[in-house]
Amino acid sequence: MMIDSPNTPLWLRASAVYVTALLATVFVFITFCAAEGLFMSGPTLFTSVWHPETQDFGILPMIAATAALSLSSLALGWLISFGCICYIHGFGEKYSASLLSSLLRLMTAIPTVVYGFASVFLLVPLIRDGMGGSGFSWFTATLVLSLLITPTMVLTMESAVAQTARESRLAAESLGLSRAEHLVYVVLPACREWLWGAALLGFGRAAGDTMIPTMLAGNAVQYPASPFEAIRTLTAHIGLVLSSDVGGTAYYSLFVAGGILLALSTVANILFRAIRRGSERG
């Protein structure tokens, strides 16, 4: 049923208008606040030095840390997600594949703070003893964040893989292909756009997460030179400054950080929709 159809219920029309207006308001608010923050923060904003005591508010290390953590989490998480899809739809036993699929769906309901809290007491000591340092680092946050974004990417991949597998199953069986061969030679090539689309969604999810970077990355404002050093992302920066400062240049830097994150999320969603439309046309 189309939203603009004369037969569309009034409550459904009202819901569509409400959601559209709400999202538009948030988008405009963040955009204007980011422009104001950029204007008010002064020339030190896009520098490498963050020393509020001396009025230096450079966020470049945080931008670099956000990019590094998001990309590293995406690389690891996408490989895990791809492996899960291959196991569920081609290489695993039906019972264990069904169990894995149910587990991944359950993971989407687990609060992010649970991942972070458990990692502080279980993962951080292991990395501290094995790799040195405090254990709160880019590497630690990458491991947990990749696990966090895996269900999102798996479910995105699975929606396309399962449908393609159903549509081509009879043809594959008539050719004598096994489940694994059917997956490798037929299903995955036909779903490659969705595989890349899942990567874009995973990147947006990783870049926008606040809890894991705040709890596990160490929150040191420095460039990500080593996986075992602490970093601070834009999302962690927003959470930390909001909890301790209102007003001033440091506060204005939050709006710029929010604008950058909004731009990243918007670009990722636009690319995903473009890939999806290209897949549907194909």
Side-chain angles (χ1 to χ4, degrees), residues 200 203 261-273:
L200 289 172
F203 176 80
L261 291 170
L262 177 63
L264 284 174
S265 177
T266 301
V267 170
N269 279 277
I270 290 174
L271 289 175
F272 174 74
R273 289 180 179 274

Side-chain angles (χ1 to χ4, degrees), residues 168-236:
S168 58
R169 178 174 57 84
L170 292 178
E173 290 178 352
S174 66
L175 293 173
L177 297 179
S178 65
R179 288 181 68 236
E181 291 171 336
H182 178 206
L183 176 71
V184 172
Y185 296 115
V186 179
V187 177
L188 292 180
C191 298
R192 58 183 180 274
E193 290 86 359
W194 282 91
L195 300 181
W196 293 118
L200 289 172
L201 288 181
F203 176 80
R205 178 73 175 86
D209 188 78
T210 302
M211 191 62 65
I212 297 303
T214 303
M215 297 181 71
L216 300 177
N219 297 311
V221 183
Q222 57 185 358
Y223 285 103
S226 168
F228 302 106
E229 291 183 355
I231 57 174
R232 180 190 290 189
T233 64
L234 291 172
T235 51

Side-chain angles (χ1 to χ4, degrees), residues 68-70 72-74 76-77 137-147 212:
L69 179 58
S70 300
S72 61
S73 302
L74 172 63
L76 180 57
S137 64
W138 172 16
F139 180 71
T140 307
T142 293
L143 293 179
V144 180
L145 194 54
S146 63
L147 182 65
I212 297 303

